[in-house]
Amino acid sequence: MSARILIVDDDPVQRRLLKGTIEREGMIADTADDGNQAVRLIAGADKPYDAVVLDLVMPVMDGLSVLAWMGENNVTTPAIVQTGLGGIETVVKAMRAGAFDFVVKPVSPERLMTAVGHARKAGKKERGGPSGKSGGGFADIVVASSAMDRILSLAKRAAASDIPVVLEGESGVGKEMIARAIQMESARRSRPYVTVNCGAIPASLVESILFGHEKGAFTGAVDNHTGKFVEADRGTLFLDEVGDLSPEVQVKLLRAVQTGEIETVGARDVRKVDIRLISATNKDLIEEVKAGRFREDLYYRLNVFPIHVPPLRQRKEDIPELARHFVRRYVRSAGRAPSMSLAPETLALLTAHDWPGNIRELENAVHRAVVLAEGDTLTADLFPQIAAQLPGYDLSSRQNGRELEEMTWVPPIEYDPVDEPVPAMIGFEHPPIRGQKDPEGALNAIAANGEVRPLAEVEEELIRFALSFYDGQMSEVARRLGIGRSTLYRKLKDYAIDPGKPLKTAA
Ligand SMILES: Nc1ncnc2c1ncn2[C@@H]1O[C@H](COP(=O)(O)OP(=O)(O)OP(=O)(O)O)[C@@H](O)[C@H]1O
Ligand SMILES: [Mg+2]
C-alpha cells in the first residue's frame, strides 16, 4: 500500500513542487496550506500519515505550533521540517519541539526523498518492523545530507574500477568506513583487504612490514615474513595515514606502485603483485607536497581519484540520522531497552554542536549516554561535555523575540529550487582572507603588500564578520550593514559565503 505524506506549506509553489516530488515516487501527497488545516487533517485521518513535511514559517498557526500540538496529542508521525538558509537556531528549536529531521529550503527532490525514506523507516520501526542487516558496504553508511550523497556516489564510481583513491578528511569523518565500502563493492570484494596504518609502524620496520623480509635478512629476522603487499596480492591495500610515511619509505612505495614489483628485504628476486590501492589521510596532501614532506610523483600515483570527506559540522543534516543510528547500535550491544530514544532536546543539542572529533566523537558521546542512561529517554544532561562546549548556547532560555524575528526570514527569491546547492550545509572552501589575522578583530585597510585593499575584498570580509558577530541573524546583519535582505543574500551568493559558518578559520 502506498505511503501517505502530508505537506504543510503556505507557499502554493512550494506545495506543488513538494507534492510533485512525492507523487513521482508513487506516494500519495495530501496538502495543507497552514497549521490549522494540517492539524485537522492529521486528527481526521483514518490511518496515521507516514510522514509530515512541515514548513515552519506560516501565518495563523506556524510549524512549531503544529509540532507542539503533535507532541501534546501523542501523534508519532515523523515530521520533517523545512528551514530557511543557515538558521541553525531555528533547526534547534524545531528539533526540541520533536521534529524528526530537517531539510534546508529550497530542498532538492533527492534530499526530500532521503528524509521521507528515513522517516518512513523510523515510523515502521516504531510499529515493530524488521531490523536492518549489516555487512560493511555502502548500505551501512548513514547519510542524509546531499554533501555526503555526492561523496558516496563518487565512492561508488571509484568502486567500479581499480583506480587508486585517496580519501582526505579530518579525523573521524568516516574515511576508513568509505575505504572498506569501496572494497566491498568492487570486483575484488572476495579478495584480501589489507590495512596498513602508516603512522603507527616504527620507521625502522615499515619496509619489512610493507614488503616482507627473508629469514636472516637482519638481526631479529628469525623467520620469513610476508609483507602487506604480498598479503594483499590480487586484492586491496588500504594505506591509512599515508601522509605520515617517511621520505625513505615513500621512495620504496613509489617504486612498488610504479612497477607493480616489490623487493622483499633480503630476497634476491623481485616479485610482481597486483594491488588496488586506497589511501587515507587527515592531512592536506597537496600542502604536504608543497612543504616538501610528501613526494610529488608519489602523490600523483596515489591520488588519481581524490575524495574529500567533509567534516560533520558542514553536513549537519547527517547528525540526527547518525545519532539515532548509534542509539540503535549501542542499545543492542549494551543490552538496553530497544525503546530507548533521544529526547527532542537532546537531538537539538547534538545538532547544534560542531563536533570537532566528527562522527567518532558523536558515536562515543551516544555510546556513553546509552550506558549511563537510567530511563528510556536520552536526556540532554547525559551529554554534559557537549552542552559545556556551546558557548552562549543556553538551550533552556532561548525563547525570546530575537529568534522569532529570525524565523520570519523570507528565503531568497533568486534561488533555483532544483539546482542550487544548500549553502548552509555544504560549507564552501573560501579563499583565505588576506590581512585577516584575528577573525574577531577590526578589518585591515592595508594589504600585506602595503597597498589599500580592493573594496570587494573588504566588503566580503565585513559581511563575514557581521554574520559571525550577529550569530547568523540575517535581519540584524542586513539592518546593521544598511542593506536589504535580498541584497545581503545576493552578496552571500556572490562571495560564496556560508552564513552558518562565515569565518574562514585555520581548522
Ligand atoms: N556515515 C557514517 N555512518 C555510520 N557510521 C559512521 C559514518 N561515518 C563514520 N562512522 C563511524 O565513525 C567512526 C569513525 O569513522 P572512521 O574510522 O571511518 O573515520 P576516519 O576518517 O578513518 O578517522 P581517522 O582519520 O581518525 O582514522 C567509525 O566507528 C565509523 O564506523
Ligand atoms: Mg581512519
Side-chain angles (χ1 to χ4, degrees), residues 117-369:
H118 287 153
R120 289 183 58 195
K121 239 198 283 163
K124 281 215 195 81
K125 228 161 252 147
E126 194 119 292
R127 288 166 226 141
S131 65
K133 49 162 182 40
S134 173
F138 285 109
D140 287 349
I141 301 181
V142 175
V143 50
S145 66
S146 46
M148 205 53 197
D149 252 350
R150 275 195 295 279
I151 297 302
L152 292 188
S153 66
L154 276 178
K156 282 176 192 159
R157 266 167 50 203
S161 76
D162 266 351
I163 196 168
V165 173
V166 172
L167 293 153
E168 270 185 359
E170 289 178 14
S171 188
V173 289
K175 300 184 294 292
E176 203 165 324
M177 196 173 190
I178 296 171
R180 185 76 204 186
I182 292 177
Q183 121 87 11
M184 291 281 289
E185 296 217 359
S186 74
R188 295 175 181 243
R189 72 180 68 85
S190 52
R191 307 268 180 218
Y193 176 78
V194 178
T195 297
V196 186
N197 189 335
C198 303
I201 24 184
S204 56
L205 290 182
V206 173
E207 217 186 323
S208 130
I209 288 175
L210 286 182
F211 308 116
H213 61 244
E214 300 257 288
K215 183 175 172 178
F218 49 85
T219 333
V222 288
D223 269 316
N224 284 345
H225 172 79
T226 314
K228 299 284 184 186
F229 267 81
V230 172
E231 258 180 64
D233 193 12
R234 306 182 63 207
T236 306
L237 185 63
F238 177 50
L239 298 172
D240 205 2
E241 307 305 349
V242 76
D244 294 349
L245 280 177
S246 70
E248 304 85 68
V249 184
Q250 287 178 33
V251 182
K252 303 233 160 74
L253 185 59
L254 178 69
R255 257 204 56 191
V257 179
Q258 266 172 342
T259 59
E261 286 175 349
I262 54 144
E263 214 174 310
T264 299
V265 184
R268 253 186 260 151
D269 306 318
V270 292
R271 178 178 165 165
K272 209 134 185 96
V273 286
D274 163 24
I275 277 165
R276 195 270 167 85
L277 279 171
I278 305 178
S279 315
T281 176
N282 51 31
K283 293 184 174 167
D284 183 342
L285 265 195
I286 199 74
E287 280 305 315
E288 294 297 296
V289 169
K290 282 189 198 145
R293 286 186 292 265
F294 202 84
R295 293 183 65 104
E296 191 173 5
D297 41 13
L298 181 60
Y299 173 82
Y300 286 111
R301 280 281 169 184
L302 298 180
N303 201 17
V304 182
F305 196 99
I307 298 179
H308 183 84
V309 191
L312 190 54
R313 64 181 170 280
Q314 287 177 4
R315 45 177 167 114
K316 282 182 177 271
E317 283 168 291
D318 287 337
I319 294 175
E321 203 49 43
L322 281 165
R324 282 188 284 258
H325 166 79
F326 292 131
V327 170
R328 283 195 296 274
R329 171 188 298 172
Y330 287 111
V331 157
R332 219 176 298 137
S333 69
R336 304 294 311 255
S339 55
M340 189 180 275
S341 66
L342 291 148
E345 181 75 9
T346 311
L347 217 42
L349 177 72
L350 300 183
T351 308
H353 186 51
D354 264 351
W355 301 105
N358 293 297
I359 296 147
R360 183 175 295 114
E361 185 191 356
L362 174 64
E363 181 173 351
N364 292 342
V366 170
H367 187 176
R368 176 180 181 276

Side-chain angles (χ1 to χ4, degrees), residues 313-314 429-430 432 436 439-440 464 501-507:
R313 64 181 170 280
Q314 287 177 4
E429 284 302 319
H430 310 299
Q436 186 190 317
E440 302 296 338
R464 287 183 189 278
K501 221 181 151 274
L503 291 177
K504 180 78 191 170
T505 55

